[in-house]
Amino acid sequence: QGNCSKALQYHEKSLNMRINIYGHTDHPDIASSHHNMASAYYLQENYSKTLKHYEKSLNMQLSIYGHTDHPDIATSYNNIASVYNSQGEYSKALQHHEKSLNMRLNIYGHTDHPDIAFSYNNMASVYRSQGNYSKALQYHEKSLKMRLAVHQTAPHSDIFNSYLSLGDVSMSLFNFSSAVRYYQQSLCTLQLLSCDEKQLDSLRSMTDWSQPSITAGPVTTSNIDPLWLIHLYNMSICFIVYYFIPNMHHMVNVFQIL
């Protein structure tokens, strides 16, 4: 429901009860409570307290599992990296994402796995924040390739997000033909996911130039999530540049005749 203050109250009660039960010893349940509190603080954008609790959770996990490769430890490194990325500390974010990625590769043995794909995706996001779009493209492509292998022919939100991210990064690289292709693939995946029809119609109307029967209605925050507006903006600019600008000289000739 988005009530982070209430969530924190209950997470603190849970943490205190677990400490009373296990007596300040390292225990997975206590580590889990610290993790949950960190997640609530992250939603409040209180990054100092977020880091404090994620690091407590990580240190406890390292004590419990004896510095061996473990999915929970890999997740903690990933979460700490996300906080650093939000703070603009990109080198620290990459360092922790690499630790998470390497641990996941050791755990899952270089097979296709959603967690490994997630690590590639998150590293791509950091490179994108740095403005290193070629690196971001490289890691988003790795993530997409693995997600397609994991989910096979089944549509999945992770695949949709990969196509969308690749479209945005291709836009940043001014590779409009690739951006169009990725955006179209994202829309196809979105349609297969049977998402909210209002959202789908808004996206389709701005990007599917092959269907003139669909008219573009007003896109506002009342019928679409604000994050979608950013993607819609990128999509619309991309399609305008790719489809209309190359033909502008024809349009000029028409106006001259008139």
Side-chain angles (χ1 to χ4, degrees):
Q1 294 177 348
N3 194 334
C4 296
S5 299
K6 269 285 185 186
L8 277 169
Q9 287 178 26
Y10 284 101
H11 283 316
E12 281 180 14
K13 285 182 179 180
S14 176
L15 173 62
N16 291 332
M17 192 172 288
R18 285 170 170 175
I19 288 172
N20 288 335
I21 293 168
Y22 301 115
H24 290 276
T25 57
D26 296 324
H27 192 278
D29 288 351
I30 299 174
S32 179
S33 283
H34 282 300
H35 173 274
N36 292 338
M37 288 186 69
S39 298
Y41 279 123
Y42 185 80
L43 292 174
Q44 289 184 329
E45 298 183 3
N46 189 336
Y47 299 130
S48 60
K49 285 194 175 181
T50 301
L51 271 176
K52 174 186 171 185
H53 284 281
Y54 273 146
E55 284 171 352
K56 281 186 176 181
S57 181
L58 172 62
N59 291 332
M60 197 166 284
Q61 289 164 349
L62 290 170
S63 176
I64 293 165
Y65 302 117
H67 292 267
T68 57
D69 296 325
H70 192 278
D72 291 350
I73 298 173
T75 298
S76 287
Y77 281 129
N78 175 85
N79 293 340
I80 290 170
S82 296
V83 180
Y84 282 128
N85 188 37
S86 297
Q87 290 180 314
E89 297 191 52
Y90 303 127
S91 58
K92 285 184 179 180
L94 281 173
Q95 180 186 350
H96 282 79
H97 275 316
E98 282 172 0
K99 284 184 179 181
S100 179
L101 172 62
N102 290 332
M103 191 167 287
R104 285 168 171 171
L105 289 170
N106 288 337
I107 293 166
Y108 303 115
H110 293 267
T111 57
D112 297 321
H113 193 278
D115 288 353
I116 298 173
F118 194 58
S119 283
Y120 285 135
N121 178 82
N122 291 344
M123 290 183 72
S125 296
V126 179
Y127 282 123
R128 187 177 170 191
S129 297
Q130 284 183 315
N132 190 340
Y133 300 120
S134 57
K135 272 279 190 184
L137 189 73
Q138 177 187 339
Y139 278 88
H140 274 311
E141 284 173 344
K142 283 185 177 183
S143 181
L144 173 63
K145 183 180 178 182
M146 191 165 288
R147 285 170 170 175
L148 289 170
V150 169
H151 300 292
Q152 301 294 325
T153 56
H156 195 277
S157 58
D158 287 348
I159 295 171
F160 163 72
N161 287 325
S162 283
Y163 282 134
L164 201 59
S165 296
L166 281 162
D168 289 345
V169 173
S170 296
M171 273 282 289
S172 298
L173 289 167
F174 302 102
N175 188 340
F176 298 110
S177 59
S178 291
V180 165
R181 177 166 51 87
Y182 285 127
Y183 284 144
Q184 286 175 332
Q185 287 171 313
S186 74
L187 290 175
C188 289
T189 307
L190 188 64
Q191 193 162 17
L192 291 170
L193 287 169
S194 301
C195 72
D196 179 78
E197 283 302 314
K198 268 188 183 179
Q199 204 171 67
L200 181 58
D201 286 344
S202 297
L203 281 165
R204 191 192 289 119
S205 65
M206 293 192 69
T207 57
D208 193 351
W209 303 104
S210 66
Q211 298 188 35
S213 60
I214 299 172
T215 57
V219 180
T220 67
T221 52
S222 63
N223 61 13
I224 195 166
D225 188 272
L227 184 60
W228 283 97
L229 296 176
I230 299 170
H231 294 302
L232 284 169
Y233 174 80
N234 283 344
M235 286 184 185
S236 60
I237 294 298
C238 176
F239 277 74
I240 287 167
V241 169
Y242 186 70
Y243 284 112
F244 294 141
I245 288 181
N247 298 314
M248 280 185 72
H249 65 282
H250 296 303
M251 294 168 66
V252 170
N253 291 335
V254 169
F255 283 117
Q256 285 176 342
I257 293 168
L258 295 174

